[in-house]
Amino acid sequence: MRTVISTAQTQPQMFLRNSAPLQVRHIPARISLVLKPPSTSSLVAKSQQQHQKTQDDGIPAEEVKILVKFKSRHNYIRVLEVSRKAEHPLSGSRLLLLDGPGNIHSISFLFTSLTKTYFDVFATLPPILPSGPIALLGFGAGTAARLLLDHYPNAVLHGWELDPAVIQVAREYFNLGKLERENQQRLFIYIGNALNATVPNGFSGIIVDLFSKGCLIPELQEPATWEKLRGRLRKGGRIMVNVGGSCVEPESRLRDGKVVMEETLMAMKEVFGKELFVLNLGNRKDDSSLALTGEMPPSEEWKKKLPDPLKCYTQMWMPYLV
């Protein structure tokens, strides 16, 4: 399923590929850009008129502006801005793309930190953690950080990003600089390998969102990585992970998002056993998923501690069974 950015017939069409409509319970792990020949433009336009606008519908190219585009040492960086006039769930947003297929790694709206994407699920984690700092592994442009800082006044975040160019772009185009200035004692950003993240006495929680070349990094398919991360937690700490799914488009045809997701979950299962839960998002069972470690807290107690837009997620977790 795809979101189409329609162009004039003299130009190629770009698609934002997505696993599901952008709704509270239909959330992509990644969205990607691919090209489609212009001959289908009339069919696309006709189709769009026949059903309600969702993220799988088209955004006219004139309503999407490319603010910056360049290759860094680690990524193919692009920042897109979707017009507020666009009849689309992404209207008014800025999007950070970091790889060849165009998988979106960060989303920012002007007037709200909520995104109606998997980032919102990350924001349900703090109420079920012990006190202490939270690690963000794979910082991107700071979407998860903004959510956590907005909704939890006592949260202290340590974020790791491998690519310094991503942080530079985040400061210039996603207001990260302002977020840092306003939270000098609550937000700390490091450039380097996120798997080496550590703080004295450990993290209360670790949020993992580590993708490279359109795919979960291979280290996440190794049980030793999860043993290492578990060792960075303080007592009662948890890990929440974006494990992707079939909606994620790798650069290599030899990699498949669904297969990589299952390999990652199997590696986590070896380490966390029965204390591993999965939340599936999208129209198909494993279009897009997140994983959570630790004993599952009572849903109603968890729900009471969350802002209203986030309460629905507490009942969506299921034990990971193989």
Side-chain angles (χ1 to χ4, degrees):
M1 301 174 69
R2 304 178 179 187
T3 294
V4 186
I5 300 182
S6 302
T7 63
Q9 292 193 7
T10 56
Q11 301 174 346
Q13 290 187 330
M14 291 191 295
F15 280 68
L16 285 173
R17 177 173 294 166
N18 175 23
S19 64
L22 190 63
Q23 299 172 356
V24 172
R25 292 180 182 256
H26 301 270
I27 309 171
R30 286 283 183 259
I31 311 165
S32 60
L33 286 169
V34 296
L35 297 177
K36 185 174 178 64
S39 59
T40 61
S41 59
S42 60
L43 294 177
V44 170
K46 183 177 180 181
S47 172
Q48 291 172 358
Q49 295 171 359
Q50 292 177 346
H51 56 280
Q52 184 179 2
K53 291 284 182 181
T54 70
Q55 188 170 325
D56 286 336
D57 295 315
I59 308 175
E62 62 269 20
E63 294 181 346
V64 179
K65 181 188 298 184
I66 299 178
L67 301 182
V68 66
K69 178 174 67 173
F70 66 96
K71 288 187 178 181
S72 70
R73 179 182 176 185
H74 300 285
N75 296 291
Y76 177 27
I77 297 175
R78 284 146 290 167
V79 177
L80 305 185
E81 184 173 74
V82 182
S83 170
R84 289 186 225 172
K85 297 180 180 179
E87 296 182 10
H88 193 274
L90 290 176
S91 64
S93 68
R94 284 191 177 181
L95 312 173
L96 176 67
L97 287 63
L98 292 181
D99 50 43
N103 292 296
I104 293 175
H105 290 249
S106 293
I107 301 175
S108 175
F109 291 91
L110 185 60
F111 298 112
T112 179
S113 58
L114 293 169
T115 66
K116 294 184 179 178
T117 72
Y118 73 95
F119 289 109
D120 295 357
V121 184
F122 286 159
T124 66
L125 183 60
I128 58 172
L129 298 178
S131 62
I134 299 172
L136 301 176
L137 309 188
F139 190 83
T143 303
R146 185 170 288 103
L147 270 163
L148 295 174
L149 292 171
D150 279 357
H151 290 91
Y152 303 100
N154 296 321
V156 175
L157 310 178
H158 294 257
W160 271 262
E161 174 57 49
L162 182 64
D163 192 345
V166 169
I167 297 301
Q168 292 173 358
V169 165
R171 287 171 175 153
E172 183 171 354
Y173 294 97
F174 291 85
N175 287 323
L176 177 59
K178 179 181 178 183
L179 193 69
E180 290 176 292
R181 290 190 298 272
E182 293 175 347
N183 298 276
Q184 295 184 30
Q185 303 303 315
R186 301 177 58 207
L187 177 60
F188 305 90
I189 299 174
Y190 311 87
I191 303 298
N193 186 345
L195 297 180
N196 294 328
T198 184
V199 292
N201 303 315
F203 297 105
S204 65
I206 299 176
I207 292 174
V208 180
D209 196 11
L210 293 172
F211 285 73
S212 178
K213 298 181 179 180
C215 196
L216 282 165
I217 62 171
E219 291 88 340
L220 299 184
Q221 287 91 67
E222 300 172 3
T225 298
W226 298 107
E227 287 281 9
K228 178 180 178 180
L229 291 178
R230 184 171 68 171
R232 304 285 168 80
L233 292 171
R234 59 183 55 187
K235 184 178 180 180
R238 299 173 182 269
I239 303 175
M240 186 179 285
V241 190
N242 174 17
V243 293
S246 59
C247 67
V248 180
E249 184 178 3
E251 289 184 356
S252 172
R253 294 184 178 181
L254 301 178
R255 302 283 276 171
D256 178 86
K258 179 179 178 180
V259 173
V260 173
M261 176 190 75
E262 290 295 344
E263 292 175 350
T264 301
L265 289 171
M266 288 294 294
M268 295 183 72
K269 181 75 171 178
E270 286 192 36
V271 175
F272 298 101
K274 294 181 179 180
E275 293 188 348
L276 178 63
F277 299 84
V278 176
L279 187 153
N280 294 312
L281 302 166
N283 289 328
R284 298 187 297 276
K285 179 181 178 182
D286 47 8
D287 266 345
S288 170
S289 298
L290 292 93
L292 175 66
T293 70
E295 293 184 5
M296 183 55 55
S299 175
E300 290 304 316
E301 291 183 18
W302 188 4
K303 187 184 299 185
K304 290 177 182 178
K305 300 176 182 178
L306 292 172
D308 286 342
L310 305 179
K311 294 181 184 295
C312 62
Y313 299 116
T314 64
Q315 297 176 315
M316 297 174 65
W317 294 98
M318 300 293 292
Y320 179 65
L321 303 174
V322 292

